[in-house]
PDB file of all heavy atoms in Angstrom:
ATOM      1  N   GLY E   1       0.772  -1.228   0.000  1.00 98.00           N
ATOM      2  CA  GLY E   1       0.000   0.000   0.000  1.00 98.00           C
ATOM      3  C   GLY E   1       0.802   1.276   0.000  1.00 98.00           C
ATOM      4  O   GLY E   1       0.221   2.371  -0.085  1.00 98.00           O
ATOM      5  N   GLY E   2       2.109   1.176   0.104  1.00 98.00           N
ATOM      6  CA  GLY E   2       2.930   2.369   0.050  1.00 98.00           C
ATOM      7  C   GLY E   2       2.948   2.963  -1.342  1.00 98.00           C
ATOM      8  O   GLY E   2       2.461   2.378  -2.306  1.00 98.00           O
ATOM      9  N   GLY E   3       3.518   4.150  -1.436  1.00 98.00           N
ATOM     10  CA  GLY E   3       3.594   4.819  -2.720  1.00 98.00           C
ATOM     11  C   GLY E   3       4.052   6.242  -2.581  1.00 98.00           C
ATOM     12  O   GLY E   3       4.515   6.666  -1.519  1.00 98.00           O
ATOM     13  N   LEU E   4       3.916   6.978  -3.665  1.00 98.00           N
ATOM     14  CA  LEU E   4       4.299   8.380  -3.732  1.00 98.00           C
ATOM     15  C   LEU E   4       3.041   9.237  -3.712  1.00 98.00           C
ATOM     16  O   LEU E   4       2.153   9.058  -4.553  1.00 98.00           O
ATOM     17  CB  LEU E   4       5.106   8.650  -4.999  1.00 98.00           C
ATOM     18  CG  LEU E   4       5.474  10.098  -5.298  1.00 98.00           C
ATOM     19  CD1 LEU E   4       6.385  10.651  -4.211  1.00 98.00           C
ATOM     20  CD2 LEU E   4       6.131  10.199  -6.668  1.00 98.00           C
ATOM     21  N   VAL E   5       2.971  10.150  -2.760  1.00 98.00           N
ATOM     22  CA  VAL E   5       1.819  11.046  -2.643  1.00 98.00           C
ATOM     23  C   VAL E   5       2.294  12.458  -2.369  1.00 98.00           C
ATOM     24  O   VAL E   5       3.410  12.680  -1.893  1.00 98.00           O
ATOM     25  CB  VAL E   5       0.851  10.609  -1.526  1.00 98.00           C
ATOM     26  CG1 VAL E   5       0.268   9.235  -1.820  1.00 98.00           C
ATOM     27  CG2 VAL E   5       1.558  10.605  -0.176  1.00 98.00           C
ATOM     28  N   GLN E   6       1.439  13.419  -2.668  1.00 98.00           N
ATOM     29  CA  GLN E   6       1.720  14.807  -2.343  1.00 98.00           C
ATOM     30  C   GLN E   6       1.381  15.090  -0.889  1.00 98.00           C
ATOM     31  O   GLN E   6       0.557  14.397  -0.279  1.00 98.00           O
ATOM     32  CB  GLN E   6       0.924  15.745  -3.239  1.00 98.00           C
ATOM     33  CG  GLN E   6       1.332  15.719  -4.701  1.00 98.00           C
ATOM     34  CD  GLN E   6       0.568  16.725  -5.530  1.00 98.00           C
ATOM     35  OE1 GLN E   6      -0.593  17.012  -5.264  1.00 98.00           O
ATOM     36  NE2 GLN E   6       1.220  17.271  -6.546  1.00 98.00           N
ATOM     37  N   ALA E   7       2.028  16.090  -0.332  1.00 98.00           N
ATOM     38  CA  ALA E   7       1.708  16.511   1.025  1.00 98.00           C
ATOM     39  C   ALA E   7       0.213  16.781   1.150  1.00 98.00           C
ATOM     40  O   ALA E   7      -0.399  17.392   0.277  1.00 98.00           O
ATOM     41  CB  ALA E   7       2.507  17.748   1.397  1.00 98.00           C
ATOM     42  N   GLY E   8      -0.364  16.306   2.248  1.00 98.00           N
ATOM     43  CA  GLY E   8      -1.791  16.431   2.460  1.00 98.00           C
ATOM     44  C   GLY E   8      -2.592  15.240   1.988  1.00 98.00           C
ATOM     45  O   GLY E   8      -3.786  15.130   2.307  1.00 98.00           O
ATOM     46  N   GLY E   9      -1.967  14.347   1.265  1.00 98.00           N
ATOM     47  CA  GLY E   9      -2.640  13.174   0.751  1.00 98.00           C
ATOM     48  C   GLY E   9      -2.722  12.059   1.765  1.00 98.00           C
ATOM     49  O   GLY E   9      -2.299  12.194   2.914  1.00 98.00           O
ATOM     50  N   SER E  10      -3.260  10.932   1.315  1.00 98.00           N
ATOM     51  CA  SER E  10      -3.497   9.793   2.189  1.00 98.00           C
ATOM     52  C   SER E  10      -3.101   8.496   1.512  1.00 98.00           C
ATOM     53  O   SER E  10      -3.146   8.373   0.281  1.00 98.00           O
ATOM     54  CB  SER E  10      -4.981   9.705   2.574  1.00 98.00           C
ATOM     55  OG  SER E  10      -5.420  10.860   3.253  1.00 98.00           O
ATOM     56  N   LEU E  11      -2.731   7.533   2.336  1.00 98.00           N
ATOM     57  CA  LEU E  11      -2.489   6.174   1.898  1.00 98.00           C
ATOM     58  C   LEU E  11      -3.023   5.232   2.962  1.00 98.00           C
ATOM     59  O   LEU E  11      -3.027   5.568   4.145  1.00 98.00           O
ATOM     60  CB  LEU E  11      -0.999   5.892   1.704  1.00 98.00           C
ATOM     61  CG  LEU E  11      -0.278   6.526   0.517  1.00 98.00           C
ATOM     62  CD1 LEU E  11       1.222   6.297   0.662  1.00 98.00           C
ATOM     63  CD2 LEU E  11      -0.782   5.949  -0.791  1.00 98.00           C
ATOM     64  N   ARG E  12      -3.469   4.066   2.542  1.00 98.00           N
ATOM     65  CA  ARG E  12      -3.797   3.017   3.491  1.00 98.00           C
ATOM     66  C   ARG E  12      -2.818   1.868   3.309  1.00 98.00           C
ATOM     67  O   ARG E  12      -2.793   1.220   2.260  1.00 98.00           O
ATOM     68  CB  ARG E  12      -5.225   2.503   3.341  1.00 98.00           C
ATOM     69  CG  ARG E  12      -5.608   1.556   4.499  1.00 98.00           C
ATOM     70  CD  ARG E  12      -7.060   1.171   4.524  1.00 98.00           C
ATOM     71  NE  ARG E  12      -7.369   0.085   3.604  1.00 98.00           N
ATOM     72  CZ  ARG E  12      -8.369  -0.769   3.772  1.00 98.00           C
ATOM     73  NH1 ARG E  12      -9.168  -0.658   4.832  1.00 98.00           N
ATOM     74  NH2 ARG E  12      -8.594  -1.713   2.868  1.00 98.00           N
ATOM     75  N   LEU E  13      -2.028   1.644   4.334  1.00 98.00           N
ATOM     76  CA  LEU E  13      -1.077   0.557   4.327  1.00 98.00           C
ATOM     77  C   LEU E  13      -1.728  -0.697   4.890  1.00 98.00           C
ATOM     78  O   LEU E  13      -2.521  -0.630   5.823  1.00 98.00           O
ATOM     79  CB  LEU E  13       0.158   0.910   5.156  1.00 98.00           C
ATOM     80  CG  LEU E  13       0.821   2.256   4.860  1.00 98.00           C
ATOM     81  CD1 LEU E  13       2.075   2.407   5.713  1.00 98.00           C
ATOM     82  CD2 LEU E  13       1.144   2.394   3.382  1.00 98.00           C
ATOM     83  N   SER E  14      -1.387  -1.832   4.319  1.00 98.00           N
ATOM     84  CA  SER E  14      -1.909  -3.106   4.775  1.00 98.00           C
ATOM     85  C   SER E  14      -0.763  -4.027   5.153  1.00 98.00           C
ATOM     86  O   SER E  14       0.333  -3.939   4.598  1.00 98.00           O
ATOM     87  CB  SER E  14      -2.752  -3.777   3.686  1.00 98.00           C
ATOM     88  OG  SER E  14      -3.867  -2.993   3.339  1.00 98.00           O
ATOM     89  N   CYS E  15      -1.031  -4.906   6.088  1.00 97.00           N
ATOM     90  CA  CYS E  15      -0.060  -5.907   6.507  1.00 97.00           C
ATOM     91  C   CYS E  15      -0.786  -7.226   6.641  1.00 97.00           C
ATOM     92  O   CYS E  15      -1.620  -7.392   7.543  1.00 97.00           O
ATOM     93  CB  CYS E  15       0.590  -5.497   7.831  1.00 97.00           C
ATOM     94  SG  CYS E  15       1.718  -6.726   8.525  1.00 97.00           S
ATOM     95  N   ALA E  16      -0.482  -8.148   5.758  1.00 96.00           N
ATOM     96  CA  ALA E  16      -1.104  -9.462   5.760  1.00 96.00           C
ATOM     97  C   ALA E  16      -0.235 -10.444   6.532  1.00 96.00           C
ATOM     98  O   ALA E  16       0.968 -10.549   6.281  1.00 96.00           O
ATOM     99  CB  ALA E  16      -1.311  -9.955   4.332  1.00 96.00           C
ATOM    100  N   ALA E  17      -0.849 -11.159   7.459  1.00 95.00           N
ATOM    101  CA  ALA E  17      -0.136 -12.098   8.313  1.00 95.00           C
ATOM    102  C   ALA E  17      -0.482 -13.531   7.943  1.00 95.00           C
ATOM    103  O   ALA E  17      -1.610 -13.842   7.558  1.00 95.00           O
ATOM    104  CB  ALA E  17      -0.473 -11.849   9.777  1.00 95.00           C
ATOM    105  N   SER E  18       0.498 -14.400   8.088  1.00 93.00           N
ATOM    106  CA  SER E  18       0.282 -15.822   7.876  1.00 93.00           C
ATOM    107  C   SER E  18       1.203 -16.609   8.795  1.00 93.00           C
ATOM    108  O   SER E  18       2.197 -16.083   9.302  1.00 93.00           O
ATOM    109  CB  SER E  18       0.527 -16.215   6.420  1.00 93.00           C
ATOM    110  OG  SER E  18       1.872 -15.957   6.046  1.00 93.00           O
ATOM    111  N   GLY E  19       0.869 -17.874   9.022  1.00 87.00           N
ATOM    112  CA  GLY E  19       1.734 -18.750   9.792  1.00 87.00           C
ATOM    113  C   GLY E  19       1.536 -18.712  11.296  1.00 87.00           C
ATOM    114  O   GLY E  19       2.309 -19.326  12.026  1.00 87.00           O
ATOM    115  N   GLY E  20       0.535 -18.015  11.778  1.00 81.00           N
ATOM    116  CA  GLY E  20       0.269 -17.930  13.194  1.00 81.00           C
ATOM    117  C   GLY E  20      -1.187 -17.609  13.461  1.00 81.00           C
ATOM    118  O   GLY E  20      -1.973 -17.422  12.531  1.00 81.00           O
ATOM    119  N   THR E  21      -1.530 -17.550  14.731  1.00 84.00           N
ATOM    120  CA  THR E  21      -2.878 -17.162  15.122  1.00 84.00           C
ATOM    121  C   THR E  21      -2.896 -15.657  15.311  1.00 84.00           C
ATOM    122  O   THR E  21      -2.469 -15.135  16.341  1.00 84.00           O
ATOM    123  CB  THR E  21      -3.310 -17.882  16.400  1.00 84.00           C
ATOM    124  OG1 THR E  21      -3.207 -19.298  16.212  1.00 84.00           O
ATOM    125  CG2 THR E  21      -4.752 -17.537  16.748  1.00 84.00           C
ATOM    126  N   PHE E  22      -3.396 -14.964  14.310  1.00 85.00           N
ATOM    127  CA  PHE E  22      -3.271 -13.520  14.236  1.00 85.00           C
ATOM    128  C   PHE E  22      -3.842 -12.818  15.464  1.00 85.00           C
ATOM    129  O   PHE E  22      -3.249 -11.866  15.986  1.00 85.00           O
ATOM    130  CB  PHE E  22      -3.951 -13.028  12.956  1.00 85.00           C
ATOM    131  CG  PHE E  22      -3.841 -11.561  12.724  1.00 85.00           C
ATOM    132  CD1 PHE E  22      -2.629 -10.974  12.421  1.00 85.00           C
ATOM    133  CD2 PHE E  22      -4.963 -10.753  12.794  1.00 85.00           C
ATOM    134  CE1 PHE E  22      -2.524  -9.615  12.192  1.00 85.00           C
ATOM    135  CE2 PHE E  22      -4.883  -9.396  12.563  1.00 85.00           C
ATOM    136  CZ  PHE E  22      -3.662  -8.823  12.263  1.00 85.00           C
ATOM    137  N   SER E  23      -4.983 -13.283  15.944  1.00 85.00           N
ATOM    138  CA  SER E  23      -5.654 -12.609  17.040  1.00 85.00           C
ATOM    139  C   SER E  23      -4.919 -12.731  18.368  1.00 85.00           C
ATOM    140  O   SER E  23      -5.287 -12.053  19.336  1.00 85.00           O
ATOM    141  CB  SER E  23      -7.086 -13.131  17.193  1.00 85.00           C
ATOM    142  OG  SER E  23      -7.089 -14.513  17.523  1.00 85.00           O
ATOM    143  N   ARG E  24      -3.899 -13.556  18.451  1.00 88.00           N
ATOM    144  CA  ARG E  24      -3.117 -13.709  19.674  1.00 88.00           C
ATOM    145  C   ARG E  24      -1.949 -12.729  19.757  1.00 88.00           C
ATOM    146  O   ARG E  24      -1.209 -12.753  20.750  1.00 88.00           O
ATOM    147  CB  ARG E  24      -2.600 -15.139  19.798  1.00 88.00           C
ATOM    148  CG  ARG E  24      -3.705 -16.165  19.980  1.00 88.00           C
ATOM    149  CD  ARG E  24      -3.146 -17.560  20.141  1.00 88.00           C
ATOM    150  NE  ARG E  24      -4.202 -18.558  20.299  1.00 88.00           N
ATOM    151  CZ  ARG E  24      -3.999 -19.855  20.424  1.00 88.00           C
ATOM    152  NH1 ARG E  24      -2.751 -20.332  20.407  1.00 88.00           N
ATOM    153  NH2 ARG E  24      -5.020 -20.677  20.563  1.00 88.00           N
ATOM    154  N   TYR E  25      -1.777 -11.909  18.758  1.00 91.00           N
ATOM    155  CA  TYR E  25      -0.667 -10.978  18.718  1.00 91.00           C
ATOM    156  C   TYR E  25      -1.148  -9.539  18.752  1.00 91.00           C
ATOM    157  O   TYR E  25      -2.101  -9.166  18.066  1.00 91.00           O
ATOM    158  CB  TYR E  25       0.161 -11.180  17.444  1.00 91.00           C
ATOM    159  CG  TYR E  25       0.862 -12.504  17.374  1.00 91.00           C
ATOM    160  CD1 TYR E  25       0.251 -13.597  16.783  1.00 91.00           C
ATOM    161  CD2 TYR E  25       2.143 -12.658  17.897  1.00 91.00           C
ATOM    162  CE1 TYR E  25       0.893 -14.824  16.727  1.00 91.00           C
ATOM    163  CE2 TYR E  25       2.790 -13.879  17.836  1.00 91.00           C
ATOM    164  CZ  TYR E  25       2.166 -14.955  17.253  1.00 91.00           C
ATOM    165  OH  TYR E  25       2.812 -16.169  17.186  1.00 91.00           O
ATOM    166  N   GLY E  26      -0.471  -8.752  19.571  1.00 94.00           N
ATOM    167  CA  GLY E  26      -0.563  -7.325  19.382  1.00 94.00           C
ATOM    168  C   GLY E  26       0.215  -6.960  18.130  1.00 94.00           C
ATOM    169  O   GLY E  26       1.181  -7.633  17.759  1.00 94.00           O
ATOM    170  N   MET E  27      -0.207  -5.910  17.479  1.00 95.00           N
ATOM    171  CA  MET E  27       0.426  -5.507  16.227  1.00 95.00           C
ATOM    172  C   MET E  27       0.892  -4.064  16.313  1.00 95.00           C
ATOM    173  O   MET E  27       0.315  -3.249  17.046  1.00 95.00           O
ATOM    174  CB  MET E  27      -0.535  -5.661  15.051  1.00 95.00           C
ATOM    175  CG  MET E  27      -1.020  -7.081  14.813  1.00 95.00           C
ATOM    176  SD  MET E  27       0.328  -8.212  14.333  1.00 95.00           S
ATOM    177  CE  MET E  27       0.834  -7.503  12.771  1.00 95.00           C
ATOM    178  N   GLY E  28       1.915  -3.768  15.561  1.00 96.00           N
ATOM    179  CA  GLY E  28       2.435  -2.419  15.541  1.00 96.00           C
ATOM    180  C   GLY E  28       2.928  -2.016  14.172  1.00 96.00           C
ATOM    181  O   GLY E  28       3.185  -2.862  13.305  1.00 96.00           O
ATOM    182  N   TRP E  29       3.023  -0.723  13.989  1.00 98.00           N
ATOM    183  CA  TRP E  29       3.656  -0.137  12.819  1.00 98.00           C
ATOM    184  C   TRP E  29       4.838   0.704  13.275  1.00 98.00           C
ATOM    185  O   TRP E  29       4.728   1.468  14.244  1.00 98.00           O
ATOM    186  CB  TRP E  29       2.689   0.741  12.023  1.00 98.00           C
ATOM    187  CG  TRP E  29       1.679  -0.014  11.217  1.00 98.00           C
ATOM    188  CD1 TRP E  29       0.416  -0.334  11.588  1.00 98.00           C
ATOM    189  CD2 TRP E  29       1.851  -0.518   9.886  1.00 98.00           C
ATOM    190  NE1 TRP E  29      -0.220  -1.014  10.580  1.00 98.00           N
ATOM    191  CE2 TRP E  29       0.639  -1.144   9.526  1.00 98.00           C
ATOM    192  CE3 TRP E  29       2.902  -0.506   8.975  1.00 98.00           C
ATOM    193  CZ2 TRP E  29       0.453  -1.751   8.279  1.00 98.00           C
ATOM    194  CZ3 TRP E  29       2.723  -1.110   7.739  1.00 98.00           C
ATOM    195  CH2 TRP E  29       1.506  -1.721   7.412  1.00 98.00           C
TER     196      TRP E  29
END
């Protein structure tokens, strides 16, 4: 979801998880 944007713009970053029980982890950026 990253990219090049102008100041004032928006992006939505996504992080897809696999190999574990996702709900058992706290997540961070």
Side-chain angles (χ1 to χ4, degrees):
L4 174 63
V5 298
Q6 293 183 327
S10 300
L11 288 171
R12 189 172 82 153
L13 310 183
S14 299
C15 175
S18 62
T21 304
F22 183 69
S23 63
R24 294 182 181 178
Y25 294 91
M27 299 295 296
W29 285 95

